[in-house]
Amino acid sequence: MPPISAICVLYGLGLTASMQVGLIGPIAPDLRAGFDLSQAQFGLVASLITAAGALFAIPTGVWAARAGLRQSLVLGGVMMIIGAAIFATAQSTGMLYVGRLVTSIGYLLIVVGAPSWMANLGNPKMVAMAMSIWGTFIPVGVAMGNWTSAAIVAWLDWRMAVIACTIPVAFLLPALMWMSKPAKAGFDRSLMSGISGVLKSRPAMQIALTFGAFAGATSAALAFMPTMMADNLAIGIPLAAAIIGITAIAGNIIGSIGAGMFLGRDISGRLILAIGLPVMALAIAVLFTSQNIGISIIALILFNIGQGSVAGTCFALLPRIAGRDLSMPALQGMLAQFAEVFVVIVPPLAGAMIDWANWKGAAFLLAGFYLAGFIISLRYRQPHIATPG
């Protein structure tokens, strides 16, 4: 299979994984009503998609590379299908949690394995393009999940929305059989060597912490955003999901491509992060408190441009950090693990803040996490080795 086609398959799997994040927002009212969930309980349902990554992402990255990226991606897709089936047929809150936990295993295997395969395509220009594209998989997939879920829940019910957002993975898995296996170079480290190497890297730790704070706040913002906009702006969930989806795709593409262009001109990643994260903090504070649709859309656009620039920069910096000494799959796992620890923690916290202080409480909390990521990013220094071995 040509590299471009392989990138499309791997990116498609990433989109399908992220749709599992995006589908939650539009079905929130039905889930809360059907299972009598508080905002905090709903936040836990939303965040459990990354529970496995919060615990095991770094060792999973090393294990997946050694066991075979194709096998790990197939297993990931199968686990996503099983988890979605459990979630869609749940009759109790406990089974909702179980379904999301099983799905989280599949989600982890895909978000670690797919970019690791992309980063090993061989041609440096192809790798740079692939990683740049991968940087948009979360917002674009979340937008697709939002759209699909909002459309299906308005037409049928929330259970069919969950199934509809999972179907694409069944069509993408067979395509993995046609892809050439990635070279084994850099994938043969022992489990402990791969884990300890990334944990001892100060640049890797700084980027992982920055990305974690960013990812946790963004996950919470997106989970509650459709309901928040419907409440604050007196619009329907489908319209809110449409606005969120359109601005997410457009804004993230602008932000991601812009970050790639700036990095290509030797503008430091730290500077991009130092601009993008405060912009997101300001935008989310305005968005969650505004009752004017025009102001809300402007804030949403700025939020998504910042999201694209921050995510694109963090992913683009990984091959530079890897250099000759670190395992790229382990780095992907590290980024995922830190992100998913925050993604498990922040949405329930945001839900509790909403229960306590309404949407203004969530605005304060989420802005604080973006500013925390900004402070951490200021300590980042570019490693001397700038090309992967």
Side-chain angles (χ1 to χ4, degrees):
M1 180 182 291
I4 294 295
S5 300
I7 290 171
C8 290
V9 172
L10 295 170
Y11 182 68
L13 285 171
L15 289 181
T16 305
S18 288
M19 287 176 72
Q20 300 301 309
V21 180
L23 71 85
I24 284 294
I27 67 175
D30 288 348
L31 277 183
R32 292 195 62 210
F35 292 88
D36 194 25
L37 303 178
S38 68
Q39 291 282 19
Q41 287 175 311
F42 169 73
L44 181 59
V45 172
S47 68
L48 282 176
I49 186 66
T50 56
L55 298 172
F56 307 116
I58 299 176
T60 296
V62 180
W63 171 83
R66 291 175 62 84
L69 294 179
R70 177 183 291 159
Q71 292 91 326
S72 67
L73 286 171
V74 171
L75 177 61
V78 170
M79 294 301 288
M80 279 184 58
I81 292 170
I82 294 173
I86 295 172
F87 188 76
T89 57
Q91 299 298 323
S92 67
T93 302
M95 291 309 293
L96 289 179
Y97 295 154
V98 171
R100 292 295 273 181
L101 283 169
V102 174
T103 304
S104 77
I105 299 172
Y107 179 90
L108 171 62
L109 289 167
I110 288 174
V111 302
V112 169
S116 296
W117 198 330
M118 284 183 177
N120 198 58
L121 288 173
N123 185 325
K125 292 183 178 180
M126 188 67 69
V127 169
M129 181 184 69
M131 296 305 291
S132 176
I133 292 171
W134 181 257
T136 67
F137 89 97
I138 294 177
V140 175
V142 168
M144 291 173 60
N146 260 283
W147 285 342
T148 304
S149 180
I152 298 297
V153 78
W155 179 39
L156 296 171
D157 65 9
W158 71 267
R159 298 178 189 275
M160 293 304 299
V162 174
I163 293 172
C165 288
T166 313
I167 287 174
V169 74
F171 292 94
L172 290 167
L173 288 182
L176 293 173
M177 300 300 107
W178 297 93
M179 292 168 52
S180 300
K181 290 184 178 180
K184 283 288 184 181
F187 286 179
D188 55 355
R189 292 174 174 84
S190 69
L191 183 63
M192 291 309 299
S193 173
I195 295 172
S196 64
V198 295
L199 290 178
K200 291 177 182 177
S201 169
R202 180 173 295 179
M205 183 69 70
Q206 289 162 343
I207 290 300
L209 283 169
T210 297
F211 189 75
F214 155 82
T218 302
S219 175
L222 293 173
F224 292 106
M225 198 175 287
T227 304
M228 177 275 298
M229 292 184 69
D231 285 352
N232 285 350
L233 304 177
I235 60 177
I237 290 285
L239 177 58
I243 294 172
I244 292 166
I246 292 169
T247 55
I249 292 176
N252 275 276
I253 289 174
I254 292 170
S256 182
I257 292 175
M261 292 174 62
F262 288 132
L263 288 168
R265 295 177 181 178
D266 293 326
I267 293 176
S268 72
R270 184 175 65 165
L271 177 60
I272 298 172
L273 295 174
I275 295 172
L277 287 162
V279 166
M280 293 189 74
L282 176 61
I284 204 67
V286 172
L287 180 60
F288 268 63
T289 56
S290 170
Q291 295 183 335
N292 179 286
I293 192 166
I295 293 174
S296 295
I297 290 175
I298 292 171
L300 191 55
I301 291 171
L302 290 175
F303 173 82
N304 284 302
I305 291 174
Q307 186 181 353
S309 67
V310 171
T313 298
C314 289
F315 280 110
L317 290 175
L318 288 186
R320 305 183 186 193
I321 294 172
R324 298 180 181 277
D325 302 320
L326 299 179
S327 163
M328 188 65 187
L331 274 177
Q332 293 286 353
M334 183 178 188
L335 202 69
Q337 180 138 10
F338 277 72
E340 292 169 9
V341 166
F342 280 88
V343 169
V344 168
I345 293 171
V346 181
L349 286 178
M353 285 294 287
I354 295 167
D355 287 334
W356 178 56
N358 215 324
W359 300 113
K360 291 181 180 179
F364 177 82
L365 178 75
L366 299 178
F369 274 98
Y370 289 126
L371 291 176
F374 160 71
I375 293 169
I376 296 167
S377 73
L378 294 178
R379 301 183 62 84
Y380 173 75
R381 294 292 186 275
Q382 177 63 48
H384 293 299
I385 299 174
T387 56

